[in-house]
Amino acid sequence: MLDTVIFDMDGLLIDSEPLWGIAMREVFATVGVQLSPELTHLTTGLRTKEVVSYWHNYYKWEGKSPERVVNEIIDSVIAKIIAEGSPMEGLHYILQYFKEKDFKIGLASSSPLRLINAVLDHLQIKDAFQAVYSAEFEDYGKPHPAVYLACAKALGSDPLDCIAFEDSVTGMTAAKAARMVTVVVPEAHNRKDPRYALANMQLDSLLEFNDAKLSLLIK
């Protein structure tokens, strides 16, 4: 029986993916690495340290340690979110919808916990979640299912009773590997990616989810 919903955060609840892209390009430029928007999209859904490691292995820059670059990116994203981060369409609707259905509600994000807390405070939605988990504390990040399994365990839920909401292929893969029913809400430029066929349902907006959609997932 579906009685739990677990949300990704970046690009799903808050319009932060463009801010991540800007922050990464700005910080990587300080070590002589020029990343185009297309290149930053390649690592969407991965943990920050994995993104930095990916590009460090490719460009072999010197002058700043990968750890310092990671922290500078996170600091920059937090500052940008506080200054201009906006909720995704349907954020408050979807949280209220599942609250009224008496679902257990969790969050499972690849972002570090300090950034997650900054977002939840900025959007004033921290109280909506009974469990908040960051993949930074897991041995493996998305697309590994670890963070989803940890969040489900904290909620006292069987993964088979969970609906996961995601926006990226990486996150969708993690949720499906956790054996969760998965709903994807991709960014507009990614909606035709054939890999999203793996999801149980694809939406253009959180506002599209309703009783009829829930019934389709239950069947």
Side-chain angles (χ1 to χ4, degrees), residues 77-90:
V77 174
I78 289 174
K80 292 179 189 304
I81 283 173
I82 291 173
E84 55 186 303
S86 58
M88 295 297 285
E89 181 182 65

Side-chain angles (χ1 to χ4, degrees), residues 19-31:
L19 305 180
W20 272 103
I22 294 169
M24 285 197 295
R25 289 192 291 277
E26 289 177 350
V27 175
F28 278 122
T30 68
V31 291

Side-chain angles (χ1 to χ4, degrees), residues 31 64 121 148 167 171 174 195 206:
V31 291
K64 286 183 184 180
D121 287 340
Y148 272 110
D167 69 300
R195 292 176 293 176
L206 292 170

